[in-house]
Amino acid sequence: MELDCLFCKIVHRQLATPLIDEDDQVIVFNDIHPQAPIHLLIVPKIHIASLLELPKKSYLMTHLSQCAIQQAQKNGIDSKGFRLVINCGPEGGQTISHLHVHLMGGRPMLWPPG
Ligand code: AMP
Ligand code: ZN
């Protein structure tokens, strides 16, 4: 755990955030500033600073995808479509340095993103 990491605090229940789902590897909760009717964050329990670190824990990539699909199904957006986003680094729009996958859906997504 990184002491000054917001998402580590949520993982370790030092910050009260309602969880939508949890398993041995990830937690899932609503984004505090939703950009779509459904906007979930899928967050590994271990501290991984960004996508750049993910190859060291490559099993997690598969698990994150599986969780995202499962949540899309649970929210009924799998057939219409949805978007997964991993922001990486300052120019990639990453603001929290703990790897997370955004799952967004419930409206048509625009491309290219801003
Ligand atoms: P990123 O910009 O890709 O690092 O995404 C970080 C996301 O975390 C943003 O979409 C924020 O709205 C979201 N966020 C920040 N603080 C919280 C919080 N306490 N609970 C839920 N989501 C948060
Ligand atoms: Zn962390």
Side-chain angles (χ1 to χ4, degrees):
M1 167 171 181
E2 291 277 315
L3 290 177
D4 59 352
C5 173
L6 183 75
F7 285 179
C8 280
K9 286 181 180 154
I10 294 175
V11 167
H12 294 279
R13 313 310 295 147
Q14 291 171 3
L15 197 67
T17 300
L19 299 187
I20 286 174
D21 217 335
E22 178 177 17
D23 66 20
D24 57 326
Q25 295 179 60
V26 302
I27 57 171
V28 181
F29 51 92
N30 280 309
D31 195 294
I32 205 166
H33 295 127
Q35 302 301 313
I38 293 161
H39 186 168
L40 307 182
L41 298 176
I42 303 164
V43 178
K45 287 185 171 178
I46 55 170
H47 181 85
I48 296 175
S50 81
L51 183 69
L52 298 176
E53 304 281 317
L54 192 55
K56 292 181 196 162
K57 305 275 181 195
S58 55
Y59 62 90
L60 257 181
M61 192 71 223
T62 308
H63 191 64
L64 290 167
S65 312
Q66 286 168 340
C67 288
I69 292 166
Q70 192 182 49
Q71 291 301 327
Q73 289 167 338
K74 280 187 181 173
N75 283 279
I77 55 172
D78 52 318
S79 56
K80 275 196 164 181
F82 55 90
R83 180 170 291 172
L84 301 185
V85 171
I86 299 178
N87 295 323
C88 184
E91 290 205 357
Q94 185 177 10
T95 56
I96 307 266
S97 296
H98 180 130
L99 176 72
H100 50 281
V101 176
H102 298 254
L103 166 63
M104 288 174 282
R107 67 165 172 84
M109 295 292 156
L110 303 175
W111 192 263

